[in-house]
Amino acid sequence: GENVEQHPSTLSVQEGDSAVIKCTYSDSASNYFPWYKQELGKGSQLIIDIRSNVGEKKDQRIAVTLNKTAKHFSLHITETQPEDSAVYFCAARPASNYKLTFGKGTLLTVNP
Amino acid sequence: GAVVSQHPSWVICKSGTSVKIECRSLDFQATTMFWYRQFPKQSLMLMATSNEGSKATYEQGVEKDKFLINHASLTLSTLTVTSAHPEDSSFYICSASGQGGGGYTFGSGTRLTVV
């Protein structure tokens, strides 16, 4: 089955700096890669996703890049704000089913 | 956008009792519902997948007789933790997917504490 590795497990940045979280996946058949933000004690919210037919997607301060050859994808947050502080999860899904495999999460702390 | 309402948000129960968690899709038809479990500082672990009107498919190691899943309609799925024990204490989250398996909408989660 799919295996998703996520790094770093914790990330602390100063407000205004950029944050980058990286994930690798094992199943070359995976074709959908979402990123979720989870605030303390709450469910996960989709913040951005990318499909295997594109290499990059951007939505305001958030961008995701995908390297299919290397089987890794990254989340980029620019001009970070304290409200960006949360746990971020990457996930991968193969074309054969709808099951998401999640990374272990990254606790992002943005210091004012 | 799509919304999934999950209730209760937290529950405390005694060992040996059963707890039911509900997830409702408010503005779309949830053809597939995923149930996850999350321990503190860990990732979401898929417990089971259910399609409306069908029996749920459980992941390896998840006891189907302990975690009963019902997905009788396109807008409601329930997870019942039967004969709960303290080790069942966890954060349970549902996620719904509409026809075509496009996006996933997560519920807000249920914090279960078994005492």
Side-chain angles (χ1 to χ4, degrees):
Chain A
E2 176 65 276
N3 182 49
V4 176
E5 299 284 339
Q6 181 172 348
H7 299 280
S9 57
T10 61
L11 178 61
S12 181
V13 300
Q14 289 298 121
E15 183 177 0
D17 288 350
S18 295
V20 180
I21 302 170
K22 299 181 179 181
C23 286
T24 60
Y25 61 98
S26 61
D27 188 350
S28 57
S30 288
N31 66 350
Y32 176 65
F33 307 92
W35 285 89
Y36 294 91
K37 177 182 180 182
Q38 185 179 41
E39 296 179 66
L40 186 64
K42 297 183 179 179
S44 300
Q45 288 184 313
L46 177 69
I47 55 172
I48 197 166
D49 57 11
I50 192 168
R51 297 185 187 273
S52 59
N53 57 347
V54 298
E56 185 174 356
K57 184 177 178 180
K58 189 173 181 180
D59 182 4
Q60 299 182 351
R61 297 187 296 111
I62 296 173
V64 56
T65 58
L66 171 65
N67 183 325
K68 283 193 299 181
T69 303
K71 289 191 281 190
H72 67 68
F73 55 112
S74 301
L75 176 70
H76 304 253
I77 305 175
T78 58
E79 300 172 29
T80 53
Q81 302 166 3
E83 48 266 39
D84 294 329
S85 297
V87 178
Y88 291 82
F89 291 96
C90 64
R93 186 195 75 188
S96 58
N97 62 57
Y98 298 138
K99 294 182 182 179
L100 290 172
T101 300
F102 287 86
K104 291 189 175 180
T106 296
L107 174 61
L108 172 65
T109 303
V110 180
N111 302 301
Chain B
V3 176
V4 171
S5 176
Q6 182 171 346
H7 293 280
S9 56
W10 61 271
V11 58
I12 301 173
C13 70
K14 292 184 178 180
S15 282
T17 61
S18 295
V19 174
K20 180 183 283 188
I21 302 169
E22 288 189 354
C23 275
R24 294 181 184 271
S25 56
L26 299 186
D27 49 5
F28 69 103
Q29 294 183 328
T31 52
T32 305
M33 191 72 80
F34 303 90
W35 287 94
Y36 296 88
R37 183 174 182 175
Q38 185 180 32
F39 290 105
K41 298 184 180 180
Q42 295 192 23
S43 190
L44 291 80
M45 299 300 295
L46 181 64
M47 298 174 66
T49 304
S50 71
N51 291 300
E52 182 265 337
S54 303
K55 288 185 178 180
T57 301
Y58 290 80
E59 296 299 301
Q60 193 172 12
V62 178
E63 298 176 59
K64 63 179 181 180
D65 294 329
K66 179 168 186 62
F67 299 99
L68 301 179
I69 292 173
N70 184 289
H71 192 172
S73 80
L74 286 170
T75 58
L76 174 65
S77 178
T78 61
L79 167 67
T80 301
V81 183
T82 62
S83 187
H85 291 284
E87 55 265 33
D88 298 324
S89 298
S90 188
F91 193 58
Y92 293 87
I93 307 173
C94 64
S95 174
S97 179
Q99 201 166 22
Y104 305 80
T105 303
F106 283 80
S108 54
T110 297
R111 171 75 59 196
L112 170 63
T113 302
V114 184
V115 297

